[in-house]
Amino acid sequence: MDLDQLRTFDRIVRDQSFTRAAAYLNITQATASMRIRALEQLLGVQLFVRGRTVTLTDQGMTFLPFARRIIGTAQEGREALRRVERGRVSIGSLRTLVSPLITESLIRFQQTYPSVDVVVREGRQAQIAAMLHEREVEMGILCWPNIDPLVVDLEPLVIMRERVPLVVSPEVAAKLSSQPTIDEVLVLVPRVIALRWWQADPERAAALVRLAQTSVELPTGPARRLALKGEGLGFFVNSAVEEDVRAGRLVEIAPVEFEPLHRDTAMVVRNPAVLERPMLADFVREIAQECARVGEIIDDRLHLFQSSSPAARTASR
């Protein structure tokens, strides 16, 4: 039994496909099949029911947590060796929060730790959860509460609440009454831009899509440009459109039936013990400062974790 076999087993479980797992691992499907056959022969059981979709047998389901435990332990050992060789911090963040939360905090962090390697990975909620699960990152920034079943043992350090206003172009806003109804708005802009800010859309956001004649789901950049041109309206997190609203390129509206929404996100770790590393604790504190600037801090547990980091010592003086 080797780690390649276990990683292949775990990947097939996630993707429910030998083909997709092989592509993710950058190996051939034949190699993936060979690894699983060798693992099954070693264990003396069949791990998968092979068909149009690949599912675990009862034996495979029983073996899965042990395989993942071995993979996780090996990854922890590898990361420990890397940290001995050279300072390194790694975080994963929702794509929409990398720029507003990490850019300035990274600049300040590197002034204190100029020789430390920093890895920032971005993605969607499930991708960040997978990074935490596989210990590819030490800290994650994702929607909260987390309902992804892959990782249920996350510890929130800071929870931020950010406004999610409904915005339109100024040309559209000029044609609306002072207290418009949503029907009045949709007559002028029948296309709703659906952006997946949440793991599960709030009812008001889902209702807006249902009421519209058409809807389009886009990444933030193209969605913002569509709104700027007056070709769509949608709920945007405040950090994505704050500068546009301030400059008058977009206008926040509040139809009488649709009050502005909010999104909660959190900085999380799987084990608070990682904050015993001064460099990571300092980076987390720098990002927490940006959270307070971007939104409202509704829960701050950083004070529960002691650190001997330079920033912490300075703050205590």
Side-chain angles (χ1 to χ4, degrees):
M1 184 186 305
D2 61 40
L3 285 174
D4 285 338
Q5 293 171 350
L6 295 177
R7 290 192 183 102
T8 303
F9 169 63
D10 180 55
R11 197 69 241 174
I12 293 170
V13 172
R14 294 176 190 277
D15 293 336
Q16 296 183 308
S17 165
F18 277 74
T19 302
R20 289 194 295 271
Y24 181 91
L25 296 169
N26 198 27
I27 59 176
T28 65
Q29 184 174 341
T31 299
S33 298
M34 180 183 66
R35 289 178 181 177
I36 297 304
R37 283 197 301 270
L39 183 60
E40 289 177 329
Q41 289 174 1
L42 178 65
L43 296 173
V45 299
Q46 182 177 340
L47 297 172
F48 292 106
V49 177
R50 296 161 174 81
R52 181 168 296 179
T53 59
V54 179
T55 58
L56 284 169
T57 62
D58 289 343
Q59 293 89 343
M61 186 69 72
T62 300
F63 181 65
L64 178 61
F66 295 97
R68 286 178 169 170
R69 194 178 306 166
I70 295 170
I71 294 170
T73 300
Q75 289 170 335
E76 286 181 343
R78 183 179 60 189
E79 288 301 315
L81 291 174
R82 286 179 179 173
R83 289 194 293 269
V84 169
E85 294 175 357
R86 181 171 181 174
R88 178 179 184 271
V89 296
S90 57
I91 68 171
S93 172
L94 292 174
R95 187 169 292 116
T96 55
L97 290 176
V98 171
S99 180
L101 293 185
I102 296 175
T103 303
E104 295 300 322
S105 57
L106 177 59
I107 292 172
R108 295 193 301 270
F109 174 78
Q110 290 192 317
Q111 290 173 348
T112 306
Y113 296 97
S115 62
V116 171
D117 292 338
V118 178
V119 178
V120 179
R121 297 181 178 175
E122 62 177 20
R124 291 180 176 271
Q125 181 85 8
Q127 293 170 318
I128 304 303
M131 292 176 195
L132 288 162
H133 171 75
E134 296 174 3
R135 292 179 173 81
E136 294 177 7
V137 297
E138 299 166 282
M139 188 273 286
I141 304 173
L142 40 65
C143 291
W144 194 259
N146 173 58
I147 59 175
D148 192 302
L150 181 63
V151 183
V152 296
D153 57 343
L154 297 178
E155 181 75 33
L157 305 175
V158 172
I159 303 175
M160 175 187 75
R161 176 161 293 172
E162 186 176 5
R163 295 175 58 251
V164 187
L166 185 63
V167 297
V168 296
S169 70
E171 293 78 14
V172 172
K175 299 176 183 178
L176 297 173
S177 62
S178 59
Q179 291 185 316
T181 65
I182 196 62
D183 289 337
E184 180 184 346
V185 177
L186 290 175
V187 167
L188 296 173
V189 191
R191 181 184 295 111
V192 167
I193 306 167
L195 296 107
R196 300 301 180 188
W197 302 121
W198 305 271
Q199 294 182 77
D201 286 343
E203 173 55 30
R204 276 173 287 175
L208 183 62
V209 174
R210 290 196 301 268
L211 291 169
Q213 293 182 24
T214 60
S215 66
V216 57
E217 184 174 338
L218 292 170
T220 306
R224 173 180 159 276
R225 288 193 289 273
L226 201 66
L228 288 169
K229 292 182 177 180
E231 295 296 327
L233 78 155
F235 288 104
F236 283 77
V237 290
N238 190 58
S239 56
V241 294
E242 184 177 17
E243 290 186 6
D244 292 315
V245 172
R246 188 182 301 118
R249 293 186 294 266
L250 287 173
V251 177
E252 178 180 348
I253 61 172
V256 290
E257 311 97 322
F258 281 77
E259 297 178 0
L261 299 172
H262 68 264
R263 178 179 73 166
D264 291 345
T265 54
M267 290 194 292
V268 301
V269 292
R270 291 193 64 181
N271 185 346
V274 298
L275 294 179
E276 294 174 5
R277 296 181 59 221
M279 64 183 67
L280 179 61
D282 276 359
F283 198 13
V284 167
R285 288 186 178 87
E286 295 291 356
I287 297 173
Q289 289 185 38
E290 297 304 306
C291 288
R293 181 187 61 80
V294 169
E296 174 191 0
I297 304 300
I298 61 174
D299 193 359
D300 185 350
R301 305 183 188 181
L302 278 177
H303 66 280
L304 300 177
F305 307 107
Q306 299 298 319
S307 172
S308 58
S309 66
R313 290 196 299 269
T314 300
S316 65
R317 290 173 185 170

